[in-house]
Amino acid sequence: MVFRGVLIGCGFFARNHMAAWAEIPGVEIVAVCDRDAAKARAYAREFGIPRWGVEAEALLAEVAPDFVDIATTVGSHRALVELAARHARLVICQKPFAETMEDASAMVAACAATGAMLAVHENFRWQRPIREVKALLEEGAIGVPRWLRLSFRHGYDIYANQPYLAEVRDLALTDIGLHLFDMVRHLMGDVTRLSCEVQRRNPRVAGFDAFQALLRHGSGAVSSVECSFHSQLAPDPFPQSLMVVEGDGGTIELLEGFRLRLHRGGAVEERGVEPDCPAWGARPWHLIQESVLEFQRQAVAALEGRGMVEPSGAHNLGTLAMVLAAIRAADEGVLVAL
């Protein structure tokens, strides 16, 4: 059986989506769509797609796909998800999912009403190092996890390919904070309260390009999450997320250079957790590119009836709530309950 898909949004990051779909057996992208006809036409030519268009509604009605992959900016998500929910069994929406809880809840409700599965493209939790940490936690390698520190700090020029990011007010929280908060929930469980401080480090950008948040989990665990797009490090770890997780029976470290260290019983074990670089990928982006492939593989498994998509739109409501709470905490200087 071949699952037929439509990609909406032919921008910078969507190229990774297209290359990953081409690698997965039993999947065919049958049409691409973008408001810019030149972009849609170029994608169709480059990836050998038979149809392209600028009007999503007409294209979806014509093609009747099994899934729709929405890789556009956040302002267009609600209308496109509500549209796709009427035409496909699976709707994938790029992050940020929404700017408001009203829009996010409406998208979840729209898919629930038609029975469509809704996934949010939070690929960081699908990175190989994070998958390895999750597996260790699930097998009880360090006992009950009590404390986590997650760090994403670099000086890579993220604005060269996506210049609009330089104008986003809450840049670090809404661009990478979503990924980091999703990872923390994935590893440590839901959060009950948080505080947050933000900084504007790079004089070239309009918004806050760094933050540090302190989280209290329902389990009693505590997490510290930090991000900076203007750190001076050599070698620059971009796009690696570095981590320490302490449990009752040991500690896990994720260190620069894709090194995982497991401390327990007075000894330490170290192994490499660098992902393979896809044939279409390139370092240092291979960490993210491989995670896109893993995310899309599990989406296909859900279409086949083997499990649910992760994270779902309903689950992502909690992550969005954390981001909005962190923005409020930073603006008002308060501790926010969730």
Side-chain angles (χ1 to χ4, degrees):
M1 182 176 184
V2 175
F3 295 109
R4 303 165 68 254
V6 172
L7 175 82
I8 302 178
C10 299
F12 164 70
F13 197 80
R15 187 170 302 278
N16 296 312
H17 294 220
M18 288 296 294
W21 287 127
E23 191 170 327
I24 300 173
V27 172
E28 181 184 4
I29 300 298
V30 296
V32 293
C33 182
D34 196 284
R35 290 181 301 180
D36 185 330
K39 287 184 178 180
R41 184 168 50 245
Y43 255 56
R45 183 184 305 114
E46 178 179 353
F47 292 101
I49 309 303
R51 294 179 180 84
W52 64 269
V54 296
E55 295 292 339
E57 186 166 8
L59 197 60
L60 293 181
E62 175 191 351
V63 171
D66 296 295
F67 70 92
V68 177
D69 186 0
I70 298 167
T72 60
T73 52
V74 65
S76 62
H77 286 174
R78 179 172 176 176
L80 289 173
V81 167
E82 291 176 339
L83 171 64
R86 302 195 298 269
H87 292 275
R89 291 173 50 206
L90 168 64
V91 181
I92 299 170
C93 183
Q94 184 58 269
K95 68 86 200 171
F97 185 38
E99 293 177 312
T100 67
M101 290 300 295
E102 178 185 0
D103 283 348
S105 298
M107 287 186 274
V108 171
C111 289
T114 64
M117 292 180 286
L118 174 59
V120 179
H121 197 123
E122 289 283 1
N123 55 66
F124 272 41
R125 69 157 67 188
W126 291 98
Q127 293 173 4
R128 182 186 171 193
I130 306 307
R131 301 197 309 267
E132 298 264 3
V133 171
K134 178 67 172 177
L136 287 171
L137 293 177
E138 288 186 335
E139 71 183 43
I142 62 168
V144 178
R146 302 294 188 182
W147 178 84
L148 174 148
R149 180 174 68 228
L150 177 59
S151 176
F152 186 86
R153 310 185 73 87
H154 65 83
Y156 189 89
D157 185 4
I158 62 171
Y159 314 104
N161 291 312
Q162 295 170 292
Y164 67 90
L165 292 176
E167 303 301 321
V168 178
R169 176 189 181 270
D170 295 297
L171 170 62
L173 278 165
T174 58
D175 185 62
I176 293 297
L178 282 158
H179 282 316
L180 302 182
F181 288 164
D182 178 69
M183 283 194 288
V184 170
R185 293 181 69 206
H186 182 53
L187 298 174
M188 303 291 282
D190 285 340
V191 171
T192 58
R193 65 176 183 255
L194 62 78
S195 60
C196 185
E197 297 290 343
V198 296
Q199 294 176 301
R200 177 175 173 264
R201 298 276 300 273
N202 187 339
R204 293 173 45 218
V205 305
F208 301 117
D209 56 353
F211 77 85
Q212 181 151 0
L214 184 63
L215 318 175
R216 181 78 176 196
H217 297 267
S219 65
V222 172
S223 294
S224 172
V225 180
E226 59 188 60
C227 172
S228 167
F229 296 159
H230 198 60
S231 295
Q232 308 303 309
L233 297 165
D236 194 313
F238 178 85
Q240 297 171 62
S241 298
L242 309 183
M243 183 185 304
V244 181
V245 188
E246 294 182 357
D248 291 337
T251 297
I252 302 168
E253 293 181 286
L254 275 183
L255 304 175
E256 189 274 329
F258 302 104
R259 293 175 295 142
L260 185 151
R261 290 165 59 88
L262 175 60
H263 303 256
R264 57 182 175 181
V268 59
E269 309 163 33
E270 181 170 326
R271 64 176 183 260
V273 291
E274 182 171 3
D276 293 332
C277 184
W280 44 270
R283 289 173 169 80
W285 291 98
H286 67 302
L287 174 65
I288 294 174
Q289 290 163 333
E290 190 261 358
S291 73
V292 170
L293 183 58
E294 289 299 315
F295 169 86
Q296 292 178 187
R297 280 176 174 152
Q298 63 96 27
V300 173
L303 279 170
E304 293 172 340
R306 298 185 290 111
M308 303 297 291
V309 289
E310 294 183 32
S312 67
H315 181 274
N316 197 255
L317 294 178
T319 305
L320 178 60
M322 286 180 65
V323 171
L324 296 176
I327 293 171
R328 179 189 162 202
D331 283 349
E332 301 178 12
V334 296
L335 182 69
V336 178
L338 292 163

